[in-house]
Amino acid sequence: MASQKMIVKDVIKKADILLEVVDARFPDDTRNSEIERELKRIKKPFIIVLNKCDLVSKEKLEKAKSRMAKTAPAVFVSSKQRFGTTMLRHKILEVADIQGRNITVGCIGYPNTGKSSVINGVAGRGKASTSAISGHTKGVQIVNAGSRIVFLDTPGVFPLDEHDEYIQGLLGVKDSTHLKDPIGVAMKIIERMVEDNKEILESFYKVKITDENSYDILEMIGTQCNFLKKKGAIDETRAAIRIINDWQKGALLEEEL
Ligand SMILES: Nc1nc2c(ncn2[C@@H]2O[C@H](COP(=O)(O)OP(=O)(O)OP(=O)(O)O)[C@@H](O)[C@H]2O)c(=O)[nH]1
Ligand SMILES: [Mg+2]
């Protein structure tokens, strides 16, 4: 199988315009500055798509969008709720600025950010295959979206740094049993939740958070779930695994939908 780097290179070459699909819950972590620099260097237009915007507050979205807009046009989309997809279609036509022939649109991004779902949002449901399991799309898939737009769907093509466990955990690239440091990853999830959705975290685990740090909150959740070791100490690993599983299932966001 061609290496991920080769796939990305090839898609960039073939495409008239690229969509860099990022997860709106952690847009800065799911951007790839190396690829962005390369696109600028070869003068290939691209749009940053903040997908899964149904999971994030409007305020956070606006802030992220203006940060991104310094680099490239940014659009926020919820492919799940079919929000922003018409806007994205228009933006593609506008930014590509190609008349009289089909426009090839490459879709790149970290695994599981929703690349295939974004394509379906624009093209119509079910044209690109999607899954909650990352690494779903294999090889490059061509999807005709009509109105001169042809997508190249790709697997999660940004090479992930093996030691970047946080992002692998947050994106659900690795499940909790495969993470070397589940406590660290769970603390990161707690940090995100406290920032964006503190009330959901509180009501989901029935804890009251004032100004505790993420480790203290992990312990509070462990206590609340009654995850104790033999001598009565809190089993932080078990609590961490529970939090990661809940996060990856999307359970921690359900109330917001
Ligand atoms: N809440 C929410 N979930 C979404 C959205 N878009 C995609 N998802 C979910 O995210 C998961 C991954 O979606 P895919 O479209 O398969 O992601 P992908 O980037 O193509 O994934 P790979 O091909 O595995 O790299 C699925 O469980 C989707 O239902 C969205 O806008 N909102
Ligand atoms: Mg896919």
Side-chain angles (χ1 to χ4, degrees), residues 47 49 75-79 81-94 117-124 147 149 151:
I47 298 171
V49 181
V75 175
F76 44 79
V77 166
S78 164
S79 9
Q81 298 183 345
R82 297 209 131 212
F83 171 86
T85 46
T86 308
M87 169 72 154
L88 178 59
R89 181 185 274 275
H90 288 304
K91 205 75 184 169
I92 290 169
L93 295 172
E94 178 197 319
S117 303
V118 166
I119 292 177
N120 284 335
V122 178
S147 313
I149 295 178
F151 283 107

Side-chain angles (χ1 to χ4, degrees), residues 21 23 25 50-55 77-82 109-120 128-138 153-157 253 257:
V21 180
D23 190 320
R25 289 173 296 175
L50 292 130
N51 186 41
K52 309 198 187 184
C53 78
D54 52 291
L55 304 176
V77 166
S78 164
S79 9
K80 189 166 187 172
Q81 298 183 345
R82 297 209 131 212
Y110 282 105
N112 232 15
T113 48
K115 299 175 294 300
S116 303
S117 303
V118 166
I119 292 177
N120 284 335
S129 169
T130 66
S131 159
I133 316 285
S134 76
H136 180 70
T137 304
K138 310 266 188 263
D153 190 12
T154 64
V157 282
L253 295 151
L257 297 177

Side-chain angles (χ1 to χ4, degrees), residues 95-211:
V95 176
D97 194 23
I98 288 170
Q99 319 301 331
R101 66 165 172 89
N102 282 348
I103 300 167
T104 305
V105 185
C107 215
I108 55 178
Y110 282 105
N112 232 15
T113 48
K115 299 175 294 300
S116 303
S117 303
V118 166
I119 292 177
N120 284 335
V122 178
R125 230 172 265 284
K127 291 209 171 169
S129 169
T130 66
S131 159
I133 316 285
S134 76
H136 180 70
T137 304
K138 310 266 188 263
V140 177
Q141 316 280 335
I142 301 171
V143 180
N144 194 328
S147 313
R148 297 198 295 122
I149 295 178
V150 178
F151 283 107
L152 299 178
D153 190 12
T154 64
V157 282
F158 293 162
L160 277 171
D161 219 338
E162 249 313 296
H163 53 256
D164 196 357
E165 277 222 311
Y166 298 132
I167 197 72
Q168 300 195 2
L170 290 175
L171 284 172
V173 175
K174 271 194 182 173
D175 67 37
S176 57
T177 56
H178 290 95
L179 294 167
K180 287 191 208 84
D181 176 23
I183 294 176
V185 175
M187 281 165 60
K188 208 80 173 174
I189 292 171
I190 291 170
E191 269 169 38
R192 306 267 167 194
M193 291 295 296
V194 169
E195 228 174 79
D196 298 328
N197 297 303
K198 189 171 123 192
E199 297 75 26
I200 294 177
L201 188 68
E202 288 182 316
S203 70
F204 194 86
Y205 294 113
K206 304 192 173 43
V207 291
K208 182 85 199 107
I209 299 163
T210 43
D211 57 355

